Amino acid sequence: MSPEVVGIIGLAVLIVLLFLRMWIGFAMAFVGFFGYAFLEGFKPAFGIVGTVPYSTVAFYPVTVVPLFILMGVIVANTGVSGDLYNAAYKWVGHLRGGLAMATILACAGFAAITGSSSAGAVTMGKVALPEMKRYQYDDSMATGCVASGGTLGILIPPSLGFILYGILTEQSVGMLFMAGILPGLLLTALFIITIVVITARRPQAGPPGPKTGFKEKVISLKQTWQVLVLFLLVLGGIYLGVFTPTEAGAVGAFGAILITLLTRRLTSRIFVDSILDAGLTTAMVLMLLIGAFISMRFLAVTKLPFLLAETIGQLQLSPYALITAITIFYLIVGMFLDIFSGITLTLPIIYPTITALGFDPIWFGVLMVLVMEMGLVTPPVGLNVFVLAGVTDVPLSTIFRGVLPFVAAMIICVIIITLFPEIALFIPSMM
């Protein structure tokens, strides 16, 4: 039996294990171990299982994971999201659909310091939905903008999706962070345009809120200084070369603790809960990484990724046709798996193909994260939709109906990034 056939069988077994609801990290490690043992023998396979977990966890760049997670969790648990929403509400709440726009802007600001999509959806849902309900916003509009706005947490840096992609592909996490800024701002603008279009067609979907004076607007900005300081400290330090992404994670985590202490938001109970939440999330991400690296060892000896790249190259497809096919593939993957699982599961196969065909790996990282971001709000899974339904009494069908216009905005963003890759690569090229 050829190594390529063994690789295909291994992938089939992996899919079966996933349908049987085995944890993805364990499933990848299981298939990787036995597949490698079949091809190379059990002694080398046990050597991989004995060394990969330690080498993965002890890998210096991996330490960025718990640091950024801790920063995001502390900020999320101390009520900073409410300040962001209130400030945005003062500036645009008086417009038609203004509360929905304020939600999108607050989600973008929240994303700049958390990097978590579901956290953004839950937190902003608790803050923004009661206000939109008070002003008789349409349920589908209100929940649709919250669920979609939460997805910005994966694209706007610091993003755990970029961190995972960078570790697995050995690309610069700092470059990926910089590459996500302009696409994140573009998607935020497209979401706001979507709200404008919806309320122009159906004014009753987003009635305007009360007007506020200019002085009140300016005063509201004082509530956002914590976010601005953390954002400039972390990404400004990376861009200027003051410190590495790992050091930036440490600075960000310490900065979040210090700022929330100075503002008397961080209690001992919140701090302990934040440590536990960060530990659980870190353990999940590390298990995915360990499973992915074991699986990558197996796929390397099967030569399956290189066969795939060679086969695609022989098809002589245009670059746009190939990227379209990969985009559709990742959209489907995102419908069934969360972004972390989807990245670790597919990158060992897809990434060698992308590099072999000459695509920029930084640009592809942005595109892949953006496409899988769509999966967070599309059926049948739509993680953000289910999370939001769990904290509200709005039916799933209503929320899915509300996110459809925002999914269209995401598709437009994907097309723009594909046609104009310079949008993602401009800031990294200036570093």
Side-chain angles (χ1 to χ4, degrees):
M1 190 181 299
S2 68
E4 292 85 356
V5 173
V6 175
I8 294 172
I9 293 173
L11 293 178
V13 172
L14 178 59
I15 293 172
V16 171
L17 292 176
L18 295 181
F19 275 108
L20 294 175
R21 303 187 67 82
M22 179 182 279
W23 287 353
I24 292 178
F26 286 111
M28 296 179 74
F30 178 85
V31 171
F33 169 74
F34 282 103
Y36 197 92
F38 182 83
L39 291 173
E40 302 292 324
F42 274 97
K43 187 175 181 178
F46 276 116
I48 289 176
V49 172
T51 57
V52 167
Y54 173 77
S55 62
T56 301
V57 175
F59 186 41
Y60 177 69
V62 173
T63 56
V64 74
V65 174
L67 294 171
F68 275 119
I69 290 175
L70 179 61
M71 181 183 78
V73 169
I74 287 177
V75 169
N77 290 345
T78 50
V80 173
S81 58
D83 293 339
L84 290 171
Y85 178 75
N86 289 332
Y89 170 80
K90 299 292 185 185
W91 283 87
V92 299
H94 64 283
L95 302 174
R96 192 163 54 191
L99 300 184
M101 295 179 194
T103 302
I104 296 297
L105 292 173
C107 283
F110 193 65
I113 46 175
T114 59
S116 172
S117 174
S118 56
V122 171
T123 306
M124 295 312 304
K126 293 178 180 178
V127 173
L129 284 179
E131 198 69 17
M132 286 191 275
K133 192 170 184 178
R134 185 160 72 93
Y135 285 95
Q136 298 180 336
Y137 267 57
D138 182 74
D139 280 347
S140 61
M141 159 70 105
T143 54
C145 74
V146 171
S148 303
T151 63
L152 293 170
I154 299 296
L155 185 59
I156 296 178
S159 162
L160 288 179
F162 286 144
I163 292 172
L164 203 58
Y165 178 90
I167 291 172
L168 289 171
T169 61
E170 298 183 352
Q171 294 296 319
S172 167
V173 174
M175 297 278 277
L176 288 164
F177 279 179
M178 295 301 112
I181 294 176
L182 291 183
L185 295 176
L186 172 63
L187 186 58
T188 301
L190 289 172
F191 281 166
I192 292 176
I193 292 172
T194 301
I195 294 169
V196 172
V197 172
I198 292 173
T199 52
R201 295 182 59 193
R202 294 189 297 120
Q204 72 279 8
K211 292 185 177 181
T212 55
F214 182 74
K215 182 179 179 181
E216 196 174 353
K217 289 183 170 110
V218 174
I219 292 174
S220 69
L221 295 178
K222 292 182 179 179
Q223 302 172 331
T224 64
W225 70 270
Q226 305 102 312
V227 175
L228 184 61
V229 167
L230 282 175
F231 184 80
L232 292 178
L233 192 64
V234 172
L235 293 186
I238 294 174
Y239 180 80
L240 296 174
V242 177
F243 34 66
T244 66
T246 304
E247 293 164 347
V251 170
F254 178 75
I257 294 172
L258 183 62
I259 288 173
T260 50
L261 277 174
L262 292 175
T263 54
R264 298 183 180 180
R265 294 173 179 267
L266 186 63
T267 64
S268 57
R269 177 63 182 273
I270 291 176
F271 182 71
V272 171
D273 289 344
S274 298
I275 293 292
L276 292 175
D277 290 344
L280 289 171
T281 305
T282 300
M284 180 269 292
V285 173
L286 291 181
M287 188 60 236
L288 285 172
L289 284 173
I290 292 170
F293 279 116
I294 293 175
S295 178
M296 287 166 68
R297 295 289 188 92
F298 163 57
L299 290 173
V301 296
T302 66
K303 300 180 181 178
L304 191 61
F306 309 103
L307 176 63
L308 178 63
E310 183 181 346
T311 303
I312 292 176
Q314 292 175 349
L315 294 177
Q316 297 183 341
L317 295 173
S318 70
Y320 289 123
L322 180 60
I323 287 298
T324 300
I326 292 175
T327 298
I328 294 172
F329 168 74
Y330 271 110
L331 178 59
I332 295 172
V333 170
M335 290 180 179
F336 295 93
L337 297 174
D338 65 86
I339 187 168
F340 307 123
S341 303
I343 288 175
T344 54
L345 194 62
T346 60
L347 265 185
I349 301 173
I350 297 295
Y351 184 73
T353 303
I354 292 298
T355 53
L357 297 177
F359 290 105
D360 189 290
I362 299 294
W363 166 80
F364 179 71
V366 174
L367 185 70
M368 186 190 70
V369 168
L370 177 58
V371 173
M372 291 205 64
E373 183 181 38
M374 294 168 59
L376 294 171
V377 291
T378 50
V381 178
L383 180 62
N384 276 16
V385 175
F386 280 88
V387 167
L388 195 58
V391 298
T392 66
D393 56 356
V394 181
L396 283 172
S397 58
T398 301
I399 305 177
F400 275 125
R401 186 169 65 250
V403 301
L404 287 179
F406 296 96
V407 171
M410 292 182 187
I411 294 173
I412 293 172
C413 189
V414 169
I415 294 172
I416 293 174
I417 298 298
T418 302
L419 294 176
F420 304 100
E422 296 82 7
I423 295 174
L425 299 177
F426 174 72
I427 295 181
S429 69
M430 302 294 290
M431 291 178 67

